[in-house]
Amino acid sequence: MTGGVCHLGTGSARTTESAVACAPDFTREADLRHRVGRLRREGIRSSVVSKLTDVPKRILIGRALRSDRLGETLLPKRIALPVFASDPLSSVAYAPGEVLLVLSIAGVSAYHFSPWIAVAVVVLMFTVVASYRQNVHAYPSGGGDYEVATTNLGPKAGLTVASALLVDYVLTVAVSIASGIENLGSAIPFVVEHKVLCAIAVIVLLTLMNLRGVKESGKLFAIPTYVFVGGVFIMIAWGAFRGLALGDTMRAPTADYHINAEHQGLAGFALVFLLLRAFSSGCAALTGVEAISNGVPAFRKPKSKNAATTLALMGGLAVTMFCGIIALAMTTKVRMAENPATDLIHNGHPLGSGYVQNPVISQVAEAVFGKGSFLFVVLAAATALVLFLAANTAYNGFPLLGSILAQDRYLPRQLHTRGDRLAFSNGIVLLAGAATLLTFLYGADSTRLIQLYIVGVFVSFTLSQTGMVRHWNRHLAVEKDPAKRSHMIRSRAINAFGAFFTGLVLVVVLVTKFTHGAWVALLGMCIFYATMTAIRKHYDGVAEEIAAPEEPDDDDLVRPSRVHSVVLISKIHRPTLRALAYAKLMRSDTLEALTVNVDAAETKMLREEWERRGIDVPLKVLDSPYREVTRPVIEYVKSLRKESPRDAVSVIIPEYVVGHWYEHLLHNQSALRLKGRLLFTPGVMVTSVPYQLASSEAAKLRARKRQEWSAPGAVRRGPAVERPKQPSGAKD
């Protein structure tokens, strides 16, 4: 039997080759059987290890789903409501309390303004819901506010909206979970004593639930959300029946307390400012409304109609619950204070640091149902659960927006890929990490966190509605049908009023909350904006630098060496052309290009471009129903080895070289993972064909400077003089 070709690597920093012994000619059949058996045993061992590491993942998030099952994850309205509207629905648990907390600065006498503030919040809620119903019909692709602002106001406005929403989603998780921990802590002292640890544990649990997929997490969240909504409506109805029909006197546990007002007798501008601040705090009830417009693709068909219906249902429920709780709080004489230890007075004495101030909804439930009653316990438990699950609005909005931004090259491309359960797993993990950091820094204190809240959401509200006005103006300029024009004019009026109202509220929020913590949210928006701008600039520069010309020059076709190759490709650009040129004249027995089909549209475009250019290398496509890149390549290479155990397989991977560490984070690390896996596969060599980008010159210059630099004392100064040897036996 004839021997094979022995390929020797040079061992450069950009080239990895497996430890393959260049064996002499095989002369005995037993030797061949021995080697084949060894390969099989190693393959079995590798498979066992892979399965063992895969078991915990499958237990936590479930089995992987094929790409063609994406349609099965779409949501009906009954599941979409708790998934996308849990944030605005649950905010009624703390928004009324925030209104009373601010009014308490002027004492109990200021509480009579709370119904008027509630009316203003209701008008704003209906305005925003009506405006967003226009959005979901006009832009059903899932881009939401970002797409509306980008299309109609330009990329900078779109990026501003995206920055605001990303900050708001992170705050939604932190505020919701911190508020839920405080509600739960009123019944379980351990939770209060370790609220930061408990909050982080809840974030981890929610992250795992969302990694299992949108539909599965929606089913888990539906029950407590509907129990909470039902419990609040029962409380409102029973409270109204007791007060109006039976004439009962219902009193909250704090009804006999007095408030030590920080500023008594406020009037004029000071009173107006206080009322505006209370109104801005009550606007927390509107957070999460935009999530439905961002999540239209997750609805079942007809998507826009179902999303609009869900929006209307959410608005009606949230408004009714918010007004009902405010009314019952006034009836039962709930007392709240920003500093309850010193400002709440009972029998002439402050309550002291040992007092725990329960939320408004808990005090109202105690007054209506009675402390310790079955309905009281059910509502308290459902309130804590739904506040935890309110973070699910962000867990659905943030990853989807991150995916769209990644597709537009404003965020790392890894955020655009779906995980095993067809959810945007990388975005979910990133959101969890940011929310955990914020929760730790602010000690899971909802009062401190909520001051950062709602700035971002009103920035997105205002720019989105302004963009919709321009959208209707553009369509009205060309539309001739009177019926359609009438509909567009009505829609434009709704969006124009929404833009004016939300813009006014944004100014109020900025003025009243800036010094109380809103500046942190603005700083976060600026950081996101600058980061995404820099990422887009990097990706644009790389795309321009590696774009394949119609007629490749000599540099693209350079043939530096000869080797048998399987060339991995994803797109046709300069690095791909260089890798193909490198492989062509390696005097290999076979040569093929290999790509993995994770996106049917992109694969089709690649085939068409391949044929159009007339590239004389066969293109093989590996299907990957689970969107994996590494495993199909590994299995294909192993199949080649299994068919011909004596042959060595060389895998060539085109890569482009960047000069800064942070640029590595912006590119997919699939090449690194492949090299790591193939390194332990016998008979396989991996070769990286580097394509140096402009930024790599900076790294080269830094390396040259390090070589030329000498540490102090490393260089001898002056000529080296040899001391003459003394003759043996010489005396001093």
Side-chain angles (χ1 to χ4, degrees):
M1 300 175 67
T2 57
V5 178
C6 178
H7 297 285
L8 298 177
T10 59
S12 65
R14 302 291 300 179
T15 303
T16 306
E17 296 183 346
S18 62
V20 179
C22 293
D25 292 348
F26 293 99
T27 57
R28 292 180 298 175
E29 190 69 25
D31 189 19
L32 178 59
R33 287 199 301 270
H34 171 73
R35 289 173 62 86
V36 172
R38 180 167 60 85
L39 287 173
R40 287 176 177 171
R41 288 193 299 274
E42 289 173 349
I44 292 172
R45 190 181 304 119
S46 174
S47 176
V48 170
V49 172
S50 176
K51 288 180 180 179
L52 286 176
T53 56
D54 201 45
V55 167
K57 185 178 181 182
R58 295 293 155 244
I59 292 174
L60 291 174
I61 67 173
R63 60 184 178 84
L65 297 177
R66 293 172 58 93
S67 296
D68 54 13
R69 294 186 61 185
L70 182 60
E72 299 177 17
T73 66
L74 299 181
L75 304 175
K77 293 190 291 293
R78 67 179 184 279
I79 301 297
L81 182 66
V83 167
F84 291 109
S86 55
D87 182 21
L89 290 178
S90 67
S91 63
V92 301
Y94 55 82
E98 293 301 317
V99 173
L100 297 183
L101 280 174
V102 175
L103 292 177
S104 68
I105 295 174
V108 176
S109 61
Y111 275 16
H112 71 275
F113 290 110
S114 58
W116 300 107
I117 292 173
V119 170
V121 172
V122 168
V123 172
L124 181 60
M125 172 69 85
F126 281 137
T127 301
V128 171
V129 168
S131 299
Y132 272 94
R133 281 172 60 86
Q134 315 306 316
N135 286 34
V136 299
H137 285 296
Y139 294 91
S141 62
D145 293 344
Y146 166 69
E147 184 180 0
V148 172
T150 302
T151 303
N152 299 288
L153 302 177
K156 291 184 178 179
L159 206 56
T160 302
V161 168
S163 304
L165 287 175
L166 291 176
V167 170
D168 188 69
Y169 284 139
V170 174
L171 284 167
T172 295
V173 176
V175 170
S176 299
I177 290 179
S179 183
I181 288 292
E182 290 170 357
N183 273 270
L184 193 60
S186 62
I188 306 174
F190 176 83
V191 175
V192 175
E193 296 167 4
H194 305 86
K195 64 178 182 178
V196 174
L197 180 62
C198 292
I200 292 174
V202 173
I203 291 175
V204 172
L205 180 61
L206 282 176
T207 301
L208 292 175
M209 292 169 68
N210 277 277
L211 287 173
R212 296 186 66 88
V214 176
K215 190 171 183 179
E216 284 203 23
S217 63
K219 290 178 179 178
L220 291 171
F221 299 161
I223 295 176
T225 303
Y226 283 124
V227 169
F228 169 73
V229 171
V232 171
F233 271 91
I234 291 173
M235 180 180 72
I236 294 171
W238 182 240
F241 178 75
R242 286 187 61 187
L244 298 176
L246 301 181
D248 291 348
T249 301
M250 298 171 290
R251 295 181 65 80
T254 57
D256 296 328
Y257 296 171
H258 298 283
I259 298 177
N260 182 22
E262 295 181 20
H263 304 282
Q264 292 192 10
L266 287 179
F269 178 77
L271 179 60
V272 171
F273 185 83
L274 180 71
L275 296 179
L276 289 176
R277 185 181 164 197
F279 168 68
S280 66
S281 295
C283 288
L286 277 77
T287 56
V289 172
E290 80 291 341
I292 292 179
S293 70
N294 293 335
V296 175
F299 282 80
R300 286 183 179 172
K301 295 180 180 181
K303 295 177 181 291
S304 295
K305 181 180 178 181
N306 288 337
T309 303
T310 305
L311 257 172
L313 184 60
M314 178 272 298
L317 292 175
V319 161
T320 306
M321 292 191 294
F322 181 79
C323 292
I325 292 174
I326 286 283
L328 287 175
M330 298 299 298
T331 303
T332 59
K333 300 185 183 302
V334 171
R335 301 290 183 258
M336 302 285 288
E338 286 193 327
N339 301 300
T342 56
D343 293 344
L344 285 181
I345 310 298
H346 185 53
N347 295 328
H349 301 284
L351 295 177
S353 57
Y355 174 73
V356 177
Q357 182 169 258
N358 290 327
V360 168
I361 190 171
S362 297
Q363 296 191 40
V364 170
E366 184 174 338
V368 173
F369 294 134
K371 185 176 179 62
S373 64
F374 174 75
L375 288 176
F376 171 80
V377 172
V378 169
L379 182 58
T383 301
L385 272 177
V386 82
L387 283 168
F388 292 148
L389 303 182
N392 192 58
T393 298
Y395 271 102
N396 285 281
F398 184 99
L400 183 59
L401 178 60
S403 170
I404 295 170
L405 289 168
Q407 191 173 10
D408 290 347
R409 297 182 294 181
Y410 285 116
L411 286 178
R413 290 170 183 166
Q414 293 90 327
L415 295 179
H416 182 52
T417 57
R418 292 182 182 270
D420 288 350
R421 302 290 296 177
L422 296 172
F424 295 108
S425 306
N426 292 329
I428 291 172
V429 173
L430 179 62
L431 171 64
T436 298
L437 178 63
L438 200 62
T439 301
F440 177 78
L441 293 177
Y442 280 80
D445 188 338
S446 66
T447 302
R448 293 173 62 197
L449 284 166
I450 208 165
Q451 303 303 321
L452 285 63
Y453 212 17
I454 78 174
V455 176
V457 75
F458 276 98
V459 168
S460 64
F461 282 169
T462 304
L463 289 177
S464 171
Q465 299 316 307
T466 304
M468 285 299 297
V469 172
R470 295 194 65 176
H471 166 84
W472 296 123
N473 286 339
R474 190 172 66 252
H475 283 269
L476 282 168
V478 296
E479 183 59 57
K480 303 300 181 184
D481 187 344
K484 291 183 179 179
R485 286 184 61 83
S486 176
H487 172 74
M488 290 179 182
I489 291 172
R490 184 173 64 253
S491 298
R492 183 179 63 177
I494 293 172
N495 288 127
F497 182 69
F500 170 76
F501 204 174
T502 55
L504 185 64
V505 174
L506 175 61
V507 173
V508 170
V509 169
L510 289 175
V511 171
T512 59
K513 286 196 169 190
F514 186 83
T515 57
H516 293 270
W519 66 270
V520 178
L522 291 175
L523 178 61
M525 290 167 53
C526 293
I527 292 173
F528 268 117
Y529 187 97
T531 302
M532 289 191 289
T533 301
I535 290 173
R536 176 60 185 263
K537 184 178 179 181
H538 168 79
Y539 279 140
D540 286 348
V542 170
E544 182 179 354
E545 190 173 348
I546 67 175
E550 289 297 325
E551 296 182 2
D553 54 29
D554 293 338
D555 187 56
D556 295 321
L557 302 175
V558 63
R559 298 169 177 178
S561 184
R562 303 179 180 185
V563 69
H564 166 60
S565 303
V566 173
V567 184
L568 300 185
I569 66 169
S570 59
K571 294 180 180 179
I572 299 177
H573 44 42
R574 288 181 181 268
T576 297
L577 297 177
R578 176 173 291 186
L580 289 170
Y582 175 83
K584 274 185 179 180
L585 290 186
M586 293 300 100
R587 299 195 182 278
S588 54
D589 296 323
T590 57
L591 172 62
E592 60 182 354
L594 187 67
T595 188
V596 180
N597 178 20
V598 294
D599 187 312
E602 290 185 2
T603 303
K604 182 181 178 182
M605 291 173 59
L606 175 63
R607 284 183 180 273
E608 292 173 353
E609 179 73 354
W610 195 269
E611 294 173 1
R612 188 183 69 81
R613 288 178 173 268
I615 299 176
D616 57 347
V617 176
L619 175 63
K620 185 176 183 61
V621 178
L622 300 179
D623 286 324
S624 180
Y626 297 105
R627 300 159 304 286
E628 293 184 15
V629 175
T630 304
R631 185 171 296 181
V633 174
I634 297 294
E635 291 177 350
Y636 178 74
V637 171
K638 285 183 176 180
S639 71
L640 294 179
R641 288 285 298 156
K642 186 176 180 181
E643 292 173 4
S644 303
R646 297 192 308 165
D647 291 348
V649 179
S650 180
V651 179
I652 292 183
I653 305 175
E655 297 183 62
Y656 29 90
V657 185
V658 295
H660 302 92
W661 63 268
Y662 52 83
E663 291 177 304
H664 287 282
L665 302 177
L666 305 178
H667 298 283
N668 203 322
Q669 302 301 318
S670 56
L672 186 62
R673 291 193 295 270
L674 268 171
K675 286 189 286 188
R677 292 285 301 274
L678 291 171
L679 182 65
F680 298 97
T681 306
V684 178
M685 297 180 296
V686 183
T687 302
S688 296
V689 179
Y691 188 93
Q692 289 80 11
L693 300 177
S695 65
S696 66
E697 294 297 323
K700 192 185 302 181
L701 182 61
R702 291 195 301 269
R704 188 179 301 118
K705 286 182 178 180
R706 284 195 297 268
Q707 290 177 354
E708 295 173 354
W709 180 79
S710 299
V715 178
R716 294 180 182 272
R717 300 187 181 278
V721 179
E722 275 190 74
R723 294 181 60 187
K725 292 184 179 180
Q726 291 185 345
S728 59
K731 295 180 182 179
D732 294 336

